[in-house]
C-alpha cells in the first residue's frame, strides 16, 4: 500500500478562490509528521506547512492551512484566496521512524499540479 | 546564507561512466538525504544519513552509493550509470529533533541525463 496518496493529479482554481488539495497517509507508528511542499516550474522545493501527529490544532501558515483528520488519516492542504503565483506542483510528505535508533524516513506523494486561472 | 548546494546542476553523461554529485550544507544539520524525482512518481528517497558515518537505504537505493565522512557533505555516487537513472536529483538536510518538527531544506536539484 502507498504510504502517501494524492488522488488529484491536476486541479484548476479561479484566482481569489480557496482550494483544497487532498492527501491521505498510511502508517502504524503513532509518532509521525506531515509536510506540504510547493514546487514551482523553476524546480525548487519550497516548504509550506507542517503537522505533527500529536498536535492538537490544525497547522496554519498565512494563506495555507492543513486540515488534519487523524482518524481518517488525511492531511489536506487548504489554500485560501488563490493567487496566480500559487500555480505549481504540490507534494504531501510523511516523516516516520525507520529502523535505526532515532532515524526517520521521508516519503512523498506523487503530487498535485495546481493551476490558478485569472 | 543558510543553504544546501549541489553540483553540478546539469549533467549529461554516457552509460557506465562513473560520476559523483556533490551536496553540501552550511546549517550544521545532522540529517541529509538524496531523492530522485521522476514524472508521475513524485520524489523517492535514495539514501539518507542521520550523522557522520551513518547511512541508510531509502526506497530506491539500487545503483547508487553515498558516503558521509563529514557532517556538511553527502555525495551521491553512480558507479556505473544507466539510462534509467536519468532523473532530477535533490539533496536535502535537516536537524534531528526526535519526534518533532524536522523541516527539510532542499538543494536546487541536479538534472542528470544518462545516454
Amino acid at each position: 500500500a502507498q504510504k502517501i496518496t494524492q488522488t488529484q493529479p491536476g486541479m484548476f482554481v479561479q484566482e481569489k478562490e480557496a482550494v483544497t488539495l487532498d492527501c491521505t497517509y498510511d502508517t502504524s507508528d503513532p509518532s509521525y509528521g506531515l509536510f506540504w511542499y510547493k514546487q514551482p516550474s523553476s524546480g525548487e522545493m519550497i516548504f509550506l506547512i507542517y503537522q505533527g501527529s500529536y498536535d492538537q490544532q490544525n497547522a496554519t501558515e498565512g494563506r495555507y492551512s492543513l486540515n488534519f483528520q487523524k482518524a481518517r488519516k488525511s492531511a489536506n492542504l487548504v489554500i485560501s484566496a488563490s493567487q496566480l503565483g500559487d500555480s505549481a506542483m504540490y507534494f504531501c510528505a510523511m516523516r516516520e521512524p525507520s529502523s535505526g535508533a532515532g532515524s526517520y524516513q521521508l516519503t512523498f506523494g506523487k503530487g498535485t499540479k495546481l493551476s490558478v486561472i485569472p | 546564507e543558510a543553504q544546501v548546494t549541489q553540483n553540478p546542476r546539469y549533467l549529461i553523461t554516457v552509460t557506465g561512466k562513473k560520476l559523483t554529485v556533490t551536496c553540501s550544507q552550511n546549517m550544521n544539520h545532522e540529517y541529509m538525504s538524496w531523492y530522485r524525482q521522476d514524472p508521475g512518481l513524485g520524489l523517492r528517497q535514495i539514501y539518507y544519513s542521520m550523522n557522520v558515518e551513518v547511512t541508510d537505504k531509502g526506497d530506491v537505493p539500487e545503483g547508487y552509493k553515498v558516503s558521509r565522512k563529514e557532517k556538511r557533505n553527502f555525495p551521491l555516487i553512480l558507479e556505473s550509470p544507466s539510462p534509467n537513472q536519468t532523473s532530477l536529483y535533490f539533496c536535502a538536510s535537516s536537524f534531528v529533533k526526535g519526534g518533532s518538527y524536522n523541516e527539510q531544506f532542499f538543494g536546487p536539484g541536479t538534472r542528470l541525463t544518462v545516454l
Side-chain angles (χ1 to χ4, degrees):
Chain A
Q2 286 191 14
K3 290 189 177 182
I4 294 284
T5 302
Q6 294 180 254
T7 57
Q8 307 149 314
M11 287 192 71
F12 291 90
V13 64
Q14 202 79 35
E15 194 178 6
K16 299 179 186 175
E17 298 289 315
V19 62
T20 298
L21 306 183
D22 294 341
C23 173
T24 57
Y25 60 92
D26 183 26
T27 181
S28 57
D29 201 287
S31 178
Y32 55 89
L34 297 155
F35 301 78
W36 278 93
Y37 283 86
K38 172 184 178 182
Q39 186 180 42
S41 58
S42 51
E44 71 267 33
M45 295 291 288
I46 302 168
F47 166 77
L48 296 179
I49 198 166
Y50 168 82
Q51 180 86 42
S53 59
Y54 297 116
D55 293 343
Q56 295 296 314
Q57 295 192 333
N58 287 346
T60 59
E61 289 284 348
R63 292 187 299 112
Y64 304 107
S65 61
L66 202 152
N67 184 1
F68 182 46
Q69 298 188 41
K70 196 169 182 177
R72 297 179 63 182
K73 293 189 175 179
S74 76
N76 299 339
L77 177 70
V78 180
I79 305 175
S80 63
S82 297
Q83 301 171 356
L84 296 178
D86 294 333
S87 294
M89 282 291 287
Y90 288 81
F91 291 99
C92 179
M94 177 174 66
R95 183 208 72 233
E96 59 180 338
S98 61
S99 54
S103 180
Y104 65 89
Q105 274 190 277
L106 200 67
T107 305
F108 283 78
K110 295 182 179 181
T112 295
K113 184 171 184 176
L114 178 67
S115 300
V116 181
I117 307 166
Chain B
E1 180 191 352
Q3 59 183 347
V4 179
T5 56
Q6 296 179 226
N7 281 293
R9 294 288 313 279
Y10 303 90
L11 179 60
I12 301 174
T13 189
V14 295
T15 299
K17 186 176 181 183
K18 181 180 178 180
L19 66 92
T20 299
V21 184
T22 64
C23 173
S24 184
Q25 50 91 7
N26 62 2
M27 294 168 279
N28 203 33
H29 287 164
E30 298 92 349
Y31 187 94
M32 296 187 75
S33 180
W34 277 102
Y35 301 88
R36 62 177 288 174
Q37 182 179 13
D38 302 290
L41 297 179
L43 280 80
R44 293 177 292 168
Q45 196 169 36
I46 303 171
Y47 269 95
Y48 59 98
S49 169
M50 294 299 294
N51 215 324
V52 176
E53 302 293 0
V54 180
T55 62
D56 253 312
K57 295 178 181 178
D59 295 320
V60 287
E62 295 78 21
Y64 304 95
K65 284 175 58 178
V66 293
S67 69
R68 188 91 182 271
K69 294 186 171 63
E70 305 165 283
K71 196 171 186 178
R72 63 182 294 129
N73 296 324
F74 190 46
L76 180 69
I77 303 155
L78 285 72
E79 295 269 2
S80 183
S82 61
N84 64 13
Q85 293 178 296
T86 293
S87 187
L88 177 60
Y89 291 86
F90 286 100
C91 180
S93 71
S94 71
F95 286 115
V96 176
K97 300 173 188 174
S100 68
Y101 174 41
N102 301 121
E103 177 193 344
Q104 297 238 321
F105 292 82
F106 280 81
T110 294
R111 188 164 292 281
L112 172 66
T113 301
V114 183
L115 302 175

